[in-house]
Amino acid sequence: MDLVNVDYSTRIPNNVGLTEDRRILRALEGWHPGYLDWWRDMGPEGFQEALVYLRTAVSVDPKGWAKFDYVKMPEYRWGILLAPREDDRTIPFGHHFGEPAWQDIPGESRAMLRRLIVIQGDTEPASVEQQRHLGKTAPSLYDLRNLFQVNVEEGRHLWAMVYLLHKYFGRDGREEADELLRRRSGSADAPRMLGAFNEQTPDWLSFFMFTTFTDRDGKMQLESLAQSGFDPLSRTCRFMLTEEAHHMFVGETGIGRIIQRTCEAMRAAGVDDPEKIEKVRALGVIDLPTIQKKLNLHYSLSLDLFGSEVSTNAANAFNASLKGRFHEARIDDDHVDGEVKRVDEPALTALNMRLRDDYAADCAKSVERWNKVIEKTGVAFRLRLPHVAFHRQIGEFRDVQATPDGELIDSEAWKHRSDHWLPSRADGDFIADLMKPMREPGQFAGWIAPPKVGIDNKPGDFEYVKIAA
Ligand SMILES: [Fe+2]
Ligand SMILES: [Fe+2]
């Protein structure tokens, strides 16, 4: 069995030896048609027949794992890819610290592990559902292709989790896998499990914020699951992280390009004051204060994904050696009971807060890079992350109202001022009006700058998506 290169001879490409594992192969083949139905119903609307220049994983070798080609999305080869098994891997944290990593599920942790996998799995199709209308308003074929790349890979991440459910959890696993196809983002009776994944992604500014902030939450969760004592989960997550990096790249560079365009238009028209919103909007670009509002919204929704700062679930998962911390190996403590000495919470129950703080630090770097873009144009404006207490629905700040600076205010004041900090209906309408599709190769909407380099080093006028006539 080849553990690096992917076997494409089965209907489900994989590097987990599915050909020899008939029972699981059959179970997955049974799940496949439902998945395709879901993709057709809930995947990118209006582009199922388009030829999209997509990368497909053909190996798990970090040096050459993907190949690019035109594919119709429903024919994308969603496969099951695990990073290669390390021979002597030991568990890096928790009660089982130092023991050999498990190749099978420890009985006593079964329910907890299943829940972790289901929660992760649920986010993957959710974002595809949230983004399904965006194709209609893509600012270029380049962006359209990136959207679809993110979408098919989220679909693959669903496959990754479904494989674990089928392979290791018997009947409950199969039922959970079916449920993952039944829930729908934003649905009243069967919503997705986490709040941010039931919100709308109405426009491309939201999409880029989502891929910057919410996919980055995904990265943090995957990093902590990649530490897991349950080796198949660890290996799955390690490979998923390879794909995830592109999603954040799409988000961060997308926002960077919008900012670039806005600042250039302001300079060209002699508009110096970024707060002169109407003047800036009249140039056909998105004003920086509105970008800040969208940032506030998506960042705060993403913070809620970390759960309560004080969480016995997180502590239990750590103790059971199922879910570790971000960059566990680089943390300088005994890895057994954590080292978070903050407020009065013992280290272990504050694990979510620790992960959230690591996340905030990572986000701050993106914001700094955006500020560099603004700075270079000479426009006087800085974007920033709002305070962790701002606009929170989950955790210790849930019952208070705070400004982006973290100043506590009462609900009356919040009502009057929240439109200054979060996108208003009028802001949404303005952005919606700007969203006109650009479908000629090399063409870009006026509110976003072209990328510096193309995907797979293609030239600027490359036809990334051949939209069926
Ligand atoms: Fe994902
Ligand atoms: Fe992602």
Side-chain angles (χ1 to χ4, degrees), residues 120 124 153-154 157 215 240 244 247:
Q120 181 61 42
E124 313 289 357
E153 285 174 354
E154 300 305 6
H157 294 173
D215 281 82
M240 288 162 77
E244 206 58 49
H247 306 179

Side-chain angles (χ1 to χ4, degrees), residues 56-352:
T56 302
V58 289
S59 145
V60 289
D61 181 345
K63 283 191 227 88
W65 61 275
K67 72 169 177 48
F68 288 81
D69 209 347
Y70 285 106
V71 186
K72 286 186 186 175
M73 284 184 281
E75 290 163 18
Y76 186 79
R77 302 297 306 274
W78 284 284
I80 294 155
L81 290 91
L82 273 60
R85 187 164 152 178
E86 287 166 30
D87 277 343
D88 301 313
R89 180 169 178 257
T90 56
I91 299 173
F93 65 94
H95 279 339
H96 301 279
F97 178 81
E99 294 172 19
W102 309 305
Q103 298 309 322
D104 222 320
I105 294 176
E108 75 277 10
S109 301
R110 197 182 157 84
M112 213 191 299
L113 195 52
R114 189 182 72 205
R115 191 170 164 73
L116 288 172
I117 292 171
V118 168
I119 290 177
Q120 181 61 42
D122 194 65
T123 65
E124 313 289 357
S127 64
V128 176
E129 294 165 1
Q130 288 170 294
Q131 295 161 13
R132 63 189 297 254
H133 301 295
L134 291 172
K136 282 178 254 169
T137 55
S140 71
L141 293 182
Y142 167 87
D143 292 291
L144 189 61
R145 177 261 168 215
N146 284 348
L147 167 71
F148 294 157
Q149 183 71 62
V150 171
N151 291 162
V152 294
E153 285 174 354
E154 300 305 6
R156 206 201 66 72
H157 294 173
L158 171 61
W159 273 94
M161 294 298 121
V162 163
Y163 166 72
L164 295 177
L165 289 170
H166 275 281
K167 169 103 179 146
Y168 297 98
F169 293 90
R171 211 178 74 183
D172 326 348
R174 289 196 294 279
E175 282 167 11
E176 294 283 15
D178 291 342
E179 287 298 295
L180 286 167
L181 292 178
R182 199 179 65 83
R183 287 186 287 271
R184 292 284 182 272
S185 176
S187 150
D189 25 286
R192 291 294 172 185
M193 297 171 85
L194 302 173
F197 291 90
N198 286 302
E199 299 281 334
Q200 288 183 344
T201 311
D203 55 64
W204 281 77
L205 182 53
S206 302
F207 170 65
F208 292 135
M209 288 295 180
F210 186 98
T211 37
T212 299
F213 292 113
T214 308
D215 281 82
R216 190 186 309 265
D217 160 75
K219 167 182 130 176
M220 305 302 288
Q221 303 300 335
L222 292 176
E223 290 270 11
S224 357
L225 292 172
Q227 312 293 329
S228 184
F230 179 45
D231 205 40
L233 176 61
S234 162
R235 292 169 52 205
T236 305
C237 291
R238 270 185 275 146
F239 184 70
M240 288 162 77
L241 282 162
T242 317
E243 291 164 315
E244 206 58 49
H246 176 67
H247 306 179
M248 285 181 295
F249 161 86
V250 168
E252 188 180 311
T253 56
I255 298 293
R257 290 161 51 213
I258 295 175
I259 292 170
Q260 172 94 31
R261 185 70 199 97
T262 298
C263 293
E264 283 168 2
M266 287 171 64
R267 299 298 304 197
V271 180
D272 291 329
D273 185 355
E275 303 293 336
K276 291 265 183 319
I277 288 170
E278 291 314 318
K279 274 194 175 169
V280 176
R281 289 185 177 183
L283 304 171
V285 294
I286 305 173
D287 54 284
L288 298 172
T290 297
I291 294 173
Q292 176 69 60
K293 287 186 195 179
K294 283 272 198 183
L295 184 164
N296 291 346
L297 175 66
H298 286 271
Y299 179 68
S300 56
L301 287 172
S302 302
L303 286 180
D304 278 343
L305 291 171
F306 289 88
S308 295
E309 286 80 358
V310 177
S311 161
T312 46
N313 280 344
N316 292 339
F318 182 89
N319 268 336
S321 301
L322 299 180
K323 183 175 177 185
R325 293 166 296 181
F326 183 55
H327 288 160
E328 186 71 48
R330 294 189 211 161
I331 297 173
D332 194 13
D333 65 14
D334 62 7
H335 305 274
V336 176
D337 65 358
E339 197 212 10
V340 191
K341 297 186 186 84
R342 249 174 261 202
V343 288
D344 291 317
E345 299 306 331
L348 266 179
T349 52
L351 278 172
N352 281 346

